[in-house]
Amino acid sequence: MSAVSDTFNKTVYEIIAMIPEGRVISYGLLALLAGKPGGARMAARAVSHAPLGVDLPFHRVVNQSGHLAPPEAFSGEGIQRAMLETEGVLFKSNGCVDMRKCTWTG
DNA sequence: GGGCTGACGGTTG
DNA sequence: GCAACCGCCAGCC
């Protein structure tokens, strides 16, 4: 765990905490805002390996295609989608988030 | 030290 | 619109 990645992770959490209800963000954009353009994988790892104690809306983080995270990360399939829908996030017929309208760019 | 892996992204077919 | 391929960088074996 290097100091650089630690700062990156912290920045990622800060950004996630700023995401308003009814909006989502992609790993790529998340990494970009965190100062790591193209570091989508790092952002994904940072989120998936998030330390306990952090209370953040990880369900608002999806990939660029609008595809949601694996069900096991949210205690069941459809959980993430349910939470997002409750917040007002629009979904497409294929089950993916409507990134065109719900992407939060900061 | 070297190679594989991943809650991914962009480009190409 | 979807599938395949390559590239990215940190973490782990």
Side-chain angles (χ1 to χ4, degrees), chain A residues 63 65-68 77 81 85 90-99:
Chain A
N63 61 22
S65 303
H67 193 276
L68 304 182
E77 185 155 14
R81 173 171 176 164
E85 286 185 314
L90 299 178
F91 277 80
K92 298 192 295 185
S93 57
N94 60 359
C96 293
V97 176
D98 189 341
M99 301 300 288

Side-chain angles (χ1 to χ4, degrees), chain A residues 28-45:
Chain A
L29 186 55
L30 185 59
L32 181 65
L33 295 177
K36 289 290 181 189
R41 307 174 83 134
M42 280 80 266
R45 235 199 63 79

